[in-house]
Amino acid sequence: MIDMNTIRTLIPQAFTSVELPDLGAKHSGKVRDYFLLDSRRVLVTTDRLSAFDRILTAVPYKGQVLNQLSAFWFEHTQDIVGNHVIDVPDPNVTVAHECEPFPVEVVVRGYISGVTTTALWYRYSLGERHIYGYDFPEGMTKNQALPEPMITPTTKGREGEHDERITCAEVIERGLLDTETWEQVQAAAFAVFKRGQAIAQEGGLILVDTKYEFGRAPDGRVVLIDEVHTPDSSRFWVADTYEARLSAGKEPDNFDKEFLRLWYAERGYRGDGEPPEATEELIAQVSRRYIACYEKLTGQTFLPGTYPVEERLRDCDLTGA
């Protein structure tokens, strides 16, 4: 495992952006930059860290963890649903088929938890008992398992906007997806989630909940896109301490972005107004957790790419041709 001092020295070099003139114009999302090459999309995963729908800081090695962990999951779920991957030519880069993304984020939840305004526990703690179209009984406690996993979709907020909570029925009612496509997406999401829970359990982790994005490939297939089962898109708890900490009323030991969300929430920040500045210690701890999560899920040793990442990318053929 990479030591904390090494991570601290890299904080000023955290990978936040890159210009690749040979690939044309750059487009940017919250944590990924991408370049369009005919029917391909070159996705560059940066170290930018987003929470509460805001970019809050940058964490060394985070981009590499997300890119390589997603590649692992795409490979291990392709028998369930196809995906957009063509090649992974660099630890921070994926070359993918250009797909039409669906306007719905598919969130699968296995537990009632979370501190964001779209999280089940946050809504439940405010007194809501009918959430995302589901009825919840009285007397539930934070972080307990749901009887069955459920899908709680959201719309995709534009830059600077929050995602909007909707129900599964509203996906059809609003015309976001047709019935056949939405049923196909839900079936794939539940199956990928089940596979993810099984593999996470082998690594001593619980896959608590996750966000998936789907799209339509050029050949018309529904495919899995973006990222899969990363600490950014998913919540992971340590399996062997979960029951004891739940019984004691303590938060589960986690290996995901919830550590950072809780840090901000404890300081009164949930996405509105000016966020507090992330400390060097927080950034280093988040980096270590991301790396540990990668190693637990894949069973592989994390091999760090070189910094500065920008220089490495400019010397690499990233076209996937």
Side-chain angles (χ1 to χ4, degrees), residues 21 63 117 123 133 144 193 223 248 265 278 305:
T117 56
R123 309 313 308 181
Q144 77 176 78
F193 187 72
V223 293

Side-chain angles (χ1 to χ4, degrees), residues 97-155:
H97 293 288
E98 178 64 13
C99 300
E100 178 188 356
F102 295 147
V104 178
E105 290 189 345
V106 183
V107 181
V108 184
R109 303 181 189 273
Y111 295 73
I112 182 167
S113 186
V115 298
T116 66
T117 56
T118 58
L120 283 184
W121 177 253
Y122 183 79
R123 309 313 308 181
Y124 189 90
S125 67
L126 294 178
E128 295 182 28
R129 294 298 179 265
H130 186 72
I131 313 170
Y132 289 103
Y134 300 97
D135 291 317
F136 291 81
E138 296 291 338
M140 297 192 75
T141 58
K142 187 180 183 185
N143 302 326
Q144 77 176 78
L146 298 169
E148 295 289 340
M150 61 175 58
I151 288 177
T152 61
T154 68
T155 61

Side-chain angles (χ1 to χ4, degrees), residues 20 36 51 56 79 104 107 124 139 147 156 158 162 179 210 219 230 249 262-263 290 300 309 314 318:
L20 299 170
L36 300 178
L56 299 176
D79 61 315
V104 178
V107 181
Y124 189 90
K156 294 181 181 179
R158 295 178 181 178
H162 295 302
T179 301
T210 193
D219 61 6
T230 72
L262 289 169
W263 187 90
Y290 272 60
Q300 302 168 10
V309 176
R314 294 191 183 102
L318 304 176

Side-chain angles (χ1 to χ4, degrees), residues 153 164-177 182:
E164 179 187 357
R165 298 183 298 138
I166 58 176
T167 67
C168 287
E170 286 176 323
V171 173
I172 305 300
E173 293 167 0
R174 295 189 182 191
L176 299 175
L177 291 174
W182 180 228

Side-chain angles (χ1 to χ4, degrees), residues 76-95:
H76 284 77
T77 58
Q78 60 186 347
D79 61 315
I80 297 172
V81 60
N83 59 67
H84 66 166
V85 177
I86 297 172
D87 189 25
V88 183
D90 179 89
N92 286 71
V93 178
T94 292
V95 180

Side-chain angles (χ1 to χ4, degrees), residues 205-225:
L205 298 177
I206 297 171
L207 174 58
V208 179
D209 51 43
T210 193
K211 172 183 70 67
Y212 300 124
E213 295 199 34
F214 291 85
R216 196 169 301 281
D219 61 6
R221 293 177 301 137
V222 171
V223 293
L224 191 58
I225 64 174

Side-chain angles (χ1 to χ4, degrees), residues 4-301:
M4 296 282 279
N5 286 333
T6 298
I7 295 172
R8 289 189 186 97
T9 63
L10 289 175
I11 291 176
Q13 298 184 56
F15 177 42
T16 58
S17 182
V18 65
E19 300 295 335
L20 299 170
D22 291 346
L23 300 184
K26 180 178 71 175
H27 308 264
S28 295
K30 290 176 183 174
V31 300
R32 289 176 179 79
D33 295 335
Y34 66 92
F35 302 82
L36 300 178
L37 300 176
D38 299 322
S39 61
R40 288 164 291 152
R41 178 176 291 213
V42 179
L43 294 156
V44 181
T45 308
T46 72
D47 291 336
R48 299 193 298 262
L49 192 148
S50 169
F52 304 104
D53 292 324
R54 299 286 189 274
I55 296 172
L56 299 176
T57 188
V59 175
Y61 298 120
K62 173 184 175 289
Q64 180 179 345
V65 167
L66 261 59
N67 193 63
Q68 293 189 319
L69 191 52
S70 289
F72 169 86
W73 286 112
F74 281 129
E75 179 181 351
H76 284 77
T77 58
Q78 60 186 347
D79 61 315
I80 297 172
V81 60
N83 59 67
H84 66 166
V85 177
I86 297 172
D87 189 25
V88 183
D90 179 89
N92 286 71
V93 178
T94 292
V95 180
H97 293 288
E98 178 64 13
C99 300
E100 178 188 356
F102 295 147
V104 178
E105 290 189 345
V106 183
V107 181
V108 184
R109 303 181 189 273
Y111 295 73
I112 182 167
S113 186
V115 298
T116 66
T117 56
T118 58
L120 283 184
W121 177 253
Y122 183 79
R123 309 313 308 181
Y124 189 90
S125 67
L126 294 178
E128 295 182 28
R129 294 298 179 265
H130 186 72
I131 313 170
Y132 289 103
Y134 300 97
D135 291 317
F136 291 81
E138 296 291 338
M140 297 192 75
T141 58
K142 187 180 183 185
N143 302 326
Q144 77 176 78
L146 298 169
E148 295 289 340
M150 61 175 58
I151 288 177
T152 61
T154 68
T155 61
K156 294 181 181 179
R158 295 178 181 178
E159 187 68 27
E161 297 178 354
H162 295 302
D163 299 337
E164 179 187 357
R165 298 183 298 138
I166 58 176
T167 67
C168 287
E170 286 176 323
V171 173
I172 305 300
E173 293 167 0
R174 295 189 182 191
L176 299 175
L177 291 174
D178 62 79
T179 301
E180 181 181 356
T181 301
W182 180 228
E183 288 178 351
Q184 188 176 350
V185 165
Q186 290 180 94
F190 279 129
V192 172
F193 187 72
K194 182 178 180 180
R195 176 72 55 80
Q197 285 190 311
I199 293 177
Q201 189 69 37
E202 294 175 2
L205 298 177
I206 297 171
L207 174 58
V208 179
D209 51 43
T210 193
K211 172 183 70 67
Y212 300 124
E213 295 199 34
F214 291 85
R216 196 169 301 281
D219 61 6
R221 293 177 301 137
V222 171
V223 293
L224 191 58
I225 64 174
D226 195 50
E227 63 182 296
V228 185
H229 299 163
T230 72
D232 262 23
S233 67
S234 310
R235 202 186 318 267
F236 295 99
W237 293 336
V238 177
D240 61 7
T241 61
Y242 166 71
E243 292 292 347
R245 293 185 70 85
L246 183 70
S247 298
K250 298 179 179 179
E251 285 294 315
D253 294 317
N254 65 73
F255 272 96
D256 54 51
K257 199 162 58 175
E258 188 70 359
F259 173 79
L260 177 129
R261 292 192 191 99
L262 289 169
W263 187 90
Y264 278 93
E266 288 167 359
R267 287 156 179 79
Y269 183 78
R270 295 179 184 272
D272 296 315
E274 189 67 22
E277 184 175 354
T279 64
E280 185 178 276
E281 182 66 17
L282 174 68
I283 292 170
Q285 288 190 35
V286 170
S287 180
R288 289 265 292 185
R289 285 168 178 264
Y290 272 60
I291 293 169
C293 187
Y294 171 89
E295 294 186 337
K296 287 178 176 292
L297 291 172
T298 66
Q300 302 168 10
T301 300

